[in-house]
């Protein structure tokens, strides 16, 4: 069976986050370059990145250009979905940095039509605010990249909205064999 590299929210940005010192842009670049190199070196068929590829929808032209060249410089394709940070007003996918990278064939944005990466391995995507797609063939190995907050039992803070309980996600979508979830910044099994 083929190898797939799963990762998380990258929040690529063109400036240092508040209170961050040092060469942030270079360190960010080095980490993502390392991930893509690892995928190529390990002969992965793809890298799945579950949203919030960018920290906001608008990126300096230099950042978009540099990451187009970076991603196109590797054999392993980058498959992703939109996170809320990638979209204008957390809902509009147009006029975004991700749309530019997709137009340049540097990334593939996943949706309800699966990407077939192996004879029987299909990858679907659910961007921020989207419903989980229906699996077309239950006999395949079906993978879902989704950007939504997944919680164990209780909301993480008072008044938290827009989340799904882990058990409901997995039991309600039992035709998926693997979930790659963004937005959490936590791991769970």
């Amino acid at each position: 069976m083929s190898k797939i590299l799963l990762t998380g929210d990258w929040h690529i940005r063109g400036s240092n986050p508040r209170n961050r010192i040092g060469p942030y842009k270079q360190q960010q670049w080095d980490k993502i370059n390392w991930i893509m190199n690892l995928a190529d070196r390990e002969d992965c068929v793809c890298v799945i990145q579950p949203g919030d590829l960018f920290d906001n929808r608008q990126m300096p032209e230099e950042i978009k250009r540099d990451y187009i060249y970076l991603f196109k410089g590797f054999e392993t394709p980058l498959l992703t979905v939109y996170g809320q940070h990638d979209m204008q007003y957390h809902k509009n996918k147009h006029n975004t940095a991700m749309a530019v990278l997709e137009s340049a064939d540097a990334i593939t944005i996943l949706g309800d039509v699966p990407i077939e990466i192996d004879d029987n391995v299909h990858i679907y995507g659910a961007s921020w605010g989207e419903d989980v797609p229906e699996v077309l063939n239950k006999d395949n190995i079906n993978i879902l990249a989704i950007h939504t907050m997944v919680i164990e039992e209780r909301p993480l803070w008072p008044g938290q909205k827009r989340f799904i309980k882990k058990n409901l996600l997995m039991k309600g979508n039992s035709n998926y064999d693997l979930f790659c979830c963004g937005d959490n910044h936590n791991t769970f099994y």
Side-chain angles (χ1 to χ4, degrees):
M1 178 166 199
S2 300
K3 294 179 187 177
I4 300 169
L5 194 148
L6 305 176
T7 182
D9 304 26
W10 291 352
H11 291 277
I12 297 170
R13 53 187 296 144
S15 62
N16 282 21
R18 189 174 10 159
N19 300 322
R20 179 75 183 252
I21 57 173
Y24 180 77
K25 274 176 41 179
Q26 185 61 50
Q27 292 168 345
Q28 171 181 259
W29 172 272
D30 291 344
K31 287 178 184 178
I32 295 169
N33 187 49
W34 181 87
I35 289 168
M36 298 305 294
N37 267 303
L38 176 65
D40 269 8
R41 190 172 57 247
E42 293 295 324
D43 294 320
C44 294
V45 292
C46 67
V47 173
I48 299 177
Q49 192 281 334
D52 285 350
L53 179 67
F54 292 103
D55 198 51
N56 64 60
R57 73 168 183 94
Q58 294 179 320
M59 283 289 120
E61 300 304 318
E62 168 191 16
I63 296 292
K64 291 184 273 191
R65 182 199 65 222
D66 289 349
Y67 281 93
I68 287 170
Y69 287 131
L70 177 74
F71 298 140
K72 290 183 85 162
F74 290 97
E75 293 292 320
T76 309
L78 177 62
L79 311 180
T80 188
V81 296
Y82 282 92
Q84 74 272 32
H85 289 269
D86 297 310
M87 297 186 282
Q88 183 177 20
Y89 308 118
H90 293 191
K91 60 185 174 183
N92 187 339
K93 298 176 186 175
H94 305 292
N95 194 25
T96 64
M98 279 186 55
V100 171
L101 268 66
E102 181 183 39
S103 294
D105 291 324
I107 63 173
T108 298
I109 298 174
L110 298 162
D112 56 358
V113 176
I115 302 289
E116 185 174 353
I117 59 163
D118 229 342
D119 288 336
N120 65 341
V121 178
H122 286 184
I123 304 175
Y124 296 80
S127 293
W128 170 258
E130 292 181 349
D131 293 330
V132 174
E134 291 290 323
V135 168
L136 300 178
N137 186 339
K138 297 172 186 174
D139 295 328
N140 288 332
I141 296 170
N142 294 295
I143 299 170
L144 177 65
I146 184 170
H147 194 87
T148 192
M149 184 66 69
V150 180
I151 63 170
E152 291 281 344
E153 290 297 320
R154 295 183 210 45
L156 301 176
W157 58 85
Q160 180 186 11
K161 296 180 180 173
R162 289 192 176 246
F163 63 83
I164 187 169
K165 289 187 177 182
K166 176 183 79 169
N167 291 342
L168 290 177
L169 175 66
M170 294 178 166
K171 288 179 183 171
N173 298 287
S174 60
N175 293 322
Y176 284 102
D177 301 290
L178 179 66
F179 296 89
C180 182
C181 304
D183 200 30
N184 286 40
H185 298 241
N186 291 308
T187 59
F188 59 86
Y189 297 95

